[in-house]
Amino acid sequence: MRKSYYAAHVYMILGVISGLYYREITKLNDFEGDTQLSVVHTHLLALGMLGFLIVLALDKQFQLSEAKQFRYFFWFYNAGIAITVLMMLFRGTQTVLGNHVPEAVSWIAGLGHIILTVGLILLFVLLGKRLNEPVKTGPGDPEPVKTSA
């Protein structure tokens, strides 16, 4: 569970820093057009911080991090966010500086989205498995009531 908490915290910090970076680089270069830097901030906060806060809440309820598949979700999801955001930062910075952006950047960003999607699929598969498991009762907890149907 701590991994999700730390990931959310790191993404919160990176989201705030990316917003500052966007503001400062556009101001220093007198840039007033559209750039992908304007959405890096929200991607990091939404996909990163909020995403992992939701995973943290689900983990508390369903013990997701105890499953082997959680590790795969965690690394695929983080890798997807990292690749996607780095390409957005690169493209946005090059746009602000007035430089040409190679076509490979779009391909790599697409790869980041695919990896992110794999991570999300792994999360839903893991969550689906946990939802289908019987409720575990701890010592001292009452046994679940069985009803006849």
Side-chain angles (χ1 to χ4, degrees), residues 23-100:
R23 187 188 74 196
E24 293 303 317
I25 194 169
T26 53
K27 187 168 42 169
L28 287 171
N29 289 284
D30 293 323
F31 184 82
E32 294 190 15
D34 289 330
T35 174
Q36 282 197 331
L37 290 179
S38 65
V39 294
V40 171
H41 170 80
T42 51
H43 274 71
L44 285 167
L45 292 177
L47 290 174
M49 183 190 75
L50 290 176
F52 274 106
L53 287 176
I54 292 167
V55 168
L56 179 63
L58 290 169
D59 192 13
K60 183 79 171 167
Q61 182 68 30
F62 299 106
Q63 294 77 40
L64 298 178
S65 60
E66 293 176 7
K68 180 181 174 184
Q69 297 92 344
F70 183 82
R71 182 177 42 194
Y72 296 117
F73 149 73
F74 187 83
W75 290 110
F76 270 96
Y77 191 73
N78 278 303
I81 291 174
I83 292 168
T84 301
V85 166
L86 286 173
M87 290 302 102
M88 291 172 74
L89 279 168
F90 180 78
R91 176 184 293 279
T93 301
Q94 295 306 309
T95 302
V96 170
L97 298 177
N99 298 333
H100 170 73

Side-chain angles (χ1 to χ4, degrees), residues 95-110:
T95 302
V96 170
L97 298 177
N99 298 333
H100 170 73
V101 179
E103 188 175 325
V105 171
S106 295
W107 288 94
I108 297 169

Side-chain angles (χ1 to χ4, degrees), residues 1-2 43 52 54 76 104 112 116 132 147:
M1 249 189 329
R2 286 255 176 228
H43 274 71
F52 274 106
I54 292 167
F76 270 96
L116 184 64
N132 291 329
T147 59

